[in-house]
Amino acid sequence: MIDYNTVYNLTKDLNILYCEDDDAFQKETARVFEELFLNVDLVSNGLEGIKQYKDYYKNNNKTYDIVITDINMPHMNGIDVAKEI
């Protein structure tokens, strides 16, 4: 099993986009992600996810290192988000 310091050293410079429509679960999970990753952007549905992804690229001239998405979300599901990205 990998220890926390090893994981942190691998993830501390990464930026992630987290798409999750369950607010309580999103907040709880985001607290863990925020301890591990440099930047965690949160959205609540697939369309917001696509917009945030494009805005991030436009503002930073690079893509997110990791995108984590729920499958069943309003407006656009996670599979379609991944395809669009």
Side-chain angles (χ1 to χ4, degrees):
M1 179 174 244
I2 298 176
D3 64 68
Y4 174 82
N5 288 331
T6 301
V7 172
Y8 179 74
N9 286 330
L10 293 170
T11 62
K12 65 181 177 163
D13 297 324
L14 300 178
N15 298 290
I16 71 167
L17 173 61
Y18 180 40
C19 307
E20 171 60 59
D21 64 322
D22 182 319
D23 290 336
F25 186 72
Q26 182 195 67
K27 289 175 186 173
E28 189 173 320
T29 308
R31 279 186 276 178
V32 174
F33 291 159
E34 288 166 350
E35 289 186 24
L36 293 171
F37 298 101
L38 177 64
N39 180 58
V40 179
D41 289 332
L42 306 172
V43 296
S44 297
N45 68 62
L47 290 178
E48 288 177 4
I50 295 298
K51 181 182 181 324
Q52 180 62 35
Y53 186 88
K54 289 177 180 179
D55 288 348
Y56 182 87
Y57 183 80
K58 180 180 171 184
N59 294 329
N60 298 284
N61 199 32
K62 65 178 188 171
T63 61
Y64 283 98
D65 299 299
I66 299 172
V67 176
I68 300 170
T69 181
D70 186 4
I71 298 297
N72 294 313
M73 294 184 295
H75 308 296
M76 178 184 271
N77 69 48
I79 301 296
D80 291 337
V81 170
K83 287 177 182 177
E84 180 78 19
I85 288 172

